[in-house]
Amino acid sequence: MHGYTADRQAYLTRLRRVEGQIRGLQRMVDEDAYCIDILTQVSAATRALQAVALGLLEEHISHCVADAINNGGPEAEAKVKEASAAIARLVRS
């Protein structure tokens, strides 16, 4: 079981909302909306995706990484490195 399983429905709801935002962006471009209005909506969609990513990262650390550390062994080090790499990807984006 993954750490986010308990909140799975909430994540799906948030992702569907982001999907709607992206469709709205497509419609704005199709309708030749003002550039700044489109950029504002791109920023909102980006923040929404970042919120999902941060929530998943928090779930991963508090469940998967914490469990691996409690169990010890090489899996613990691997999970910490995996989480660090995920954080680095998020910081770069």
Side-chain angles (χ1 to χ4, degrees):
M1 183 158 93
H2 299 288
Y4 66 87
T5 301
D7 296 322
R8 184 171 180 247
Q9 196 57 48
Y11 282 113
L12 287 171
T13 300
R14 292 174 90 179
L15 287 168
R16 286 184 186 111
R17 193 173 306 130
V18 172
E19 182 181 21
Q21 287 178 294
I22 300 304
R23 280 193 304 271
L25 280 165
Q26 291 170 334
R27 189 172 38 255
M28 289 176 78
V29 171
D30 187 50
E31 295 172 357
D32 202 26
Y34 185 56
C35 298
I36 297 301
D37 294 339
I38 296 170
L39 289 170
T40 300
Q41 292 306 311
V42 167
S43 178
T46 300
R47 284 192 312 272
L49 276 175
Q50 287 172 338
V52 170
L54 289 174
L56 288 169
L57 180 62
E58 182 179 339
E59 297 282 351
H60 180 69
I61 290 171
S62 65
H63 291 96
C64 301
V65 176
D67 286 348
I69 289 171
N70 287 335
N71 294 333
E75 183 184 358
E77 185 177 329
K79 288 290 182 187
V80 169
K81 284 183 181 181
E82 180 182 62
S84 294
I87 293 167
R89 285 191 302 272
L90 286 173
V91 170
R92 282 187 295 239
S93 62

